[in-house]
Amino acid sequence: MTDGATLGKTGYDPATHRPLTWSDRLPDFRSGADTPSAYLERCLATIAAREPVVKAWVVLNETGAKAAADASTKRWRDGNPLSPIDGMPVGVKDLYMTKDMPTQMGSPLYAGRSTGEDSACVQALRLAGAAIVGKTVTTELGFSHPGPTTNPFEATRTPGGSSSGSAAAIGAAMVPATLGSQVVGSIIRPAGFCANTAIKPTLGALHRGERQGLSHSHLGVHAGGIADMWAVSHAIARFTGGDPGCPGLYGPEDAPAATAPRRLIVAETEGWTLTDDATLTAFEKLLCQVAASGVTIVRRKGQADLEAFEREITESLVLCRDICGWELRWTLRNLAEKDVTKLSPSMRVRLEMAEAMTQDDYRAALAKREAMRSRFRSVAATADAMITLSSAGPAPLMGDPNAKGEPGITHTTGLPAYNAWTSAIGCPAVTVPMLAIGGMPVGVQIVGRHDDDWRTAGIARWLKETVAPVSG
């Protein structure tokens, strides 16, 4: 297990960083050489050492986690674990209900709020035997206003958002897996900033429980590696399925093997012109390695269909802003009625912008989203997957005065320009830590076709295991 207390003191090096993992311990759990209880104790020691600076957690439930780990230890000893994640310590983003901990959603208007119920994903984790360690920090209501969490590799930088604590907990080797959510860029971007492996699955593939009020919000998983990421995703799908009306996550329980692609499309997106030179240079070096391995790299130049697709997704950030704002109005109205001063200035701006929209504006946004989805399906069918950056560079400084965003919105936790399009389209995206820019992690994502999550993860695994990471 990585010594979490030492991380972040010498910067990030993708060639030497060793994330915390669970799946590789299963033989020892079976033999008795290790136990889930002992594993959890090591996690809690790392949390105690790093939490004062990283601040990934809203609340911990050590008593409940230890009871779950003890029960799991007995099941492994008796040879009847409930699932491959039986006993795994897991963190839950504080947007999802937990019956034994408050769900406060990063807002003072929900302070101390206890529902007494589990969200569908949390219920699934408990049925699979996981040990729920606690609730991880989210930005306010899962949008732009940050919480206290810092980047595990450099405390002056943001961990990203909105899954801030979930990403930081993995980067700091506190637990092997956490839950996150994404409606714009809230899984993939912070995962890249914190050297996570993470999946934003096909829209609706994992049951969002009560979090279905936003039409393209995704539930996803942060982890130290593909095997753990897939094991948690599959367990959620196995025990609670996908959203109502959705077929759920496709793929077997076994983690996807590394699968070499034949053709990869480079998706530049609206983030390309906003990306720093060092990150672009490192990414091009990575692409050269991919091409040298025998993969055909397809670029937009001279490709009419791909060029049209790139133009179609150019304003994805604005599109997500408008769709989310319209769909969030009733929630924000209720909160503003309670005490508008407890909404952040950025959230008040979101409400003002949403109130200025009309039904026709929303319908136009939905039509635009459907056009993007149609164009994506056509282009994606011509290759095994797409490859692109997970962010426009490394994590920015906390409270960066030069933070960018779409009109009306500033993203102090990093610009989600490489993420909004996949959220709107609803296709699977898997990020793996492949770049180091100025001693900070930057992720590279593989974007697959709808319902092709297992194969997308296999290509991401091939990238991680076959191609050498690049520093810049």
Side-chain angles (χ1 to χ4, degrees), residues 29 35-37 67-81 86:
F29 296 153
T35 66
S37 294
D70 288 346
S72 173
T73 293
K74 183 178 185 303
R75 288 192 292 270
W76 281 102
R77 185 176 64 238
D78 294 342
N80 58 356
D86 195 341

Side-chain angles (χ1 to χ4, degrees), residues 259-304:
T259 305
R262 292 169 297 176
R263 288 170 60 87
L264 288 176
I265 294 171
V266 177
E268 293 185 1
T269 81
E270 62 186 312
W272 195 258
T273 59
L274 303 170
T275 304
D276 64 85
D277 290 342
T279 301
L280 286 177
T281 298
F283 183 54
E284 292 293 349
K285 290 180 180 178
L286 185 87
L287 291 176
C288 287
Q289 289 189 64
V290 174
S293 71
V295 178
T296 299
I297 299 294
V298 182
R299 309 297 292 251
R300 66 191 293 180
K301 185 177 181 180
Q303 301 285 331

Side-chain angles (χ1 to χ4, degrees), residues 10-330:
T10 58
Y12 170 75
D13 182 348
T16 59
H17 176 58
R18 298 292 179 267
L20 177 63
T21 54
W22 168 267
S23 297
D24 56 337
R25 305 304 301 170
L26 299 188
D28 287 341
F29 296 153
R30 294 188 184 99
S31 71
D34 195 4
T35 66
S37 294
Y39 188 103
L40 173 64
E41 291 298 332
R42 299 194 294 271
C43 289
L44 293 175
T46 300
I47 292 171
R50 300 219 58 195
E51 178 63 8
V53 173
V54 176
K55 301 175 184 176
W57 302 88
V58 180
V59 61
L60 294 170
N61 185 1
E62 294 189 21
T63 299
K66 287 180 179 180
D70 288 346
S72 173
T73 293
K74 183 178 185 303
R75 288 192 292 270
W76 281 102
R77 185 176 64 238
D78 294 342
N80 58 356
L82 298 174
S83 77
I85 67 165
D86 195 341
M88 177 192 277
V90 178
V92 174
K93 185 176 181 178
D94 195 29
L95 291 180
Y96 294 97
M97 297 188 303
T98 43
K99 62 186 179 183
D100 49 1
M101 289 173 279
T103 302
Q104 302 172 102
M105 302 174 67
S107 170
L109 287 160
Y110 287 112
R113 170 177 171 262
S114 293
T115 64
E117 299 178 9
D118 282 336
S119 185
C121 56
V122 177
Q123 183 184 86
L125 293 176
R126 294 194 203 273
L127 290 171
I132 309 300
V133 174
K135 306 297 286 290
T136 57
V137 171
T138 176
T139 61
E140 180 190 27
L141 305 180
F143 282 87
S144 301
H145 187 66
T149 310
T150 66
N151 192 287
F153 297 99
E154 174 51 65
T156 63
R157 295 180 182 268
T158 178
S162 62
S163 303
S164 308
S166 290
I170 299 300
M174 292 176 172
V175 289
T178 55
L179 299 186
S181 65
Q182 177 166 316
V183 71
V184 184
S186 295
I187 295 172
I188 298 298
R189 185 178 80 263
F193 286 167
C194 296
N196 299 179
T197 295
I199 185 170
K200 179 199 74 68
T202 296
L203 180 63
L206 300 181
H207 201 309
R208 291 174 291 162
E210 76 280 12
R211 298 292 303 171
Q212 296 182 65
L214 294 168
S215 64
H216 64 240
S217 174
H218 300 67
L219 166 66
V221 178
H222 296 252
I226 292 288
D228 289 348
M229 179 197 81
W230 188 258
V232 173
S233 301
H234 189 275
I236 294 171
R238 172 186 166 190
F239 286 101
T240 56
D243 284 346
C246 295
L249 186 74
Y250 285 96
E253 182 176 72
D254 294 339
T259 305
R262 292 169 297 176
R263 288 170 60 87
L264 288 176
I265 294 171
V266 177
E268 293 185 1
T269 81
E270 62 186 312
W272 195 258
T273 59
L274 303 170
T275 304
D276 64 85
D277 290 342
T279 301
L280 286 177
T281 298
F283 183 54
E284 292 293 349
K285 290 180 180 178
L286 185 87
L287 291 176
C288 287
Q289 289 189 64
V290 174
S293 71
V295 178
T296 299
I297 299 294
V298 182
R299 309 297 292 251
R300 66 191 293 180
K301 185 177 181 180
Q303 301 285 331
D305 287 350
L306 183 52
E307 183 64 39
F309 167 73
E310 289 280 10
R311 288 196 301 269
E312 192 78 65
I313 64 173
T314 296
E315 297 182 348
S316 298
L317 282 169
V318 171
L319 179 74
C320 288
R321 179 201 68 189
D322 291 346
I323 290 176
C324 292
W326 180 267
E327 294 172 349
L328 198 65
R329 289 179 311 156
W330 73 274

Side-chain angles (χ1 to χ4, degrees), residues 13 27 90 124 195 265 342 344 366 382 435:
D13 182 348
V90 178
I265 294 171
K342 291 184 178 179
S344 70
L366 294 182
T382 66
L435 308 178

